[in-house]
Amino acid sequence: MISGPIDDVSASIITTQLLFLESEAPQKPLYMYINSPGGNVVAGLAIYDTMQYIHPAVHTIATGQAGSMAALLLCGGDVRMALPHAEMLLHQPLGGTTQGMASNIAIQSQELIRQRSVLNELYAKHTGQSIETIEKVMDRNTYMDCPTAMEFGLIDSILEKRELPSSSAAAAPATSSSTSTSQNDNDNKE
């Protein structure tokens, strides 16, 4: 589970868990629950790159807030879901230095612009939206409820209730507003 701010420490823990779970069961899907306001772009991209690198399908599920970098992780999953009252927040990267030598401030500004471009391209890739649409949405804070996030392409379905597996089936489909996905309490989870 990704909870709280995304930073170097949490990214190290999550990437290590993803790699370990892949080594234990490379064919078994992983479930990553997300309730995070977001955080550091570089740390978040370490998690994102690991999600794309490993063999198992990564199912992402928003369980509260998926803000900023956490929203990118949510939409970067192979199967993207949210609980009914989850909230997604998209905006351009924040940060930079407000003091220091002018040349260092200029370097930091250029890096922030580069990071914004990378994030915009990734959102466009995973949502199917144009770069122009992504740039407009990311320019200021844009909050999305689940139906809006699904229409935008951040998530594939809204989970209403997970059904218990029957004794004859390994997993029962979850009831959702859009597509059904297989879930089981015994599946590997993040």
Side-chain angles (χ1 to χ4, degrees):
M1 176 161 193
I2 297 176
S3 63
I6 295 169
D7 58 21
D8 292 338
V9 173
S10 64
S12 178
I13 292 167
I14 297 298
T15 57
T16 300
Q17 289 174 337
L18 290 170
L19 293 167
F20 172 76
L21 291 170
E22 176 195 36
S23 73
E24 291 291 304
Q27 302 299 326
K28 195 172 188 179
L30 304 176
Y31 290 84
M32 180 184 290
Y33 291 83
I34 300 171
N35 185 14
S36 169
N40 182 285
V41 172
V42 175
L45 288 175
I47 298 169
Y48 171 85
D49 286 344
T50 304
M51 291 167 59
Q52 304 307 307
Y53 172 71
I54 61 174
H55 184 73
V58 178
H59 297 229
T60 54
I61 304 167
T63 63
Q65 180 185 32
S68 191
M69 194 65 221
L72 180 68
L73 297 177
L74 173 66
C75 82
D78 297 300
V79 179
R80 304 140 345 141
M81 303 164 276
L83 296 180
H85 296 101
E87 175 181 85
M88 284 51 78
L89 166 64
L90 280 69
H91 61 150
Q92 62 182 303
L94 307 171
T97 320
T98 57
Q99 60 185 13
M101 295 185 300
S103 57
N104 285 341
I105 293 171
I107 291 167
Q108 186 64 36
S109 296
Q110 289 302 318
E111 177 59 14
L112 204 55
I113 290 167
R114 186 195 70 78
Q115 288 177 352
R116 180 180 64 189
S117 177
V118 167
L119 295 175
N120 288 347
E121 289 173 14
L122 292 174
Y123 274 114
K125 171 184 172 182
H126 291 291
T127 64
Q129 300 288 338
S130 69
I131 289 287
E132 294 77 23
T133 299
I134 297 297
E135 287 173 348
K136 183 177 177 186
V137 165
M138 298 280 284
D139 188 50
R140 297 283 185 243
N141 285 350
T142 301
Y143 289 90
M144 296 184 188
D145 61 11
C146 288
T148 305
M150 195 159 73
E151 183 179 319
F152 190 77
L154 282 178
I155 60 174
D156 303 312
S157 63
I158 302 166
L159 300 177
E160 298 289 335
K161 181 75 173 167
R162 179 167 41 196
E163 297 177 16
L164 293 175
S166 64
S167 59
S168 63
T175 306
S176 77
S177 299
S178 176
T179 59
S180 286
T181 58
S182 234
Q183 287 187 253
N184 184 322
D185 277 336
N186 297 324
D187 286 338
N188 288 331
K189 299 177 188 173
E190 277 302 291

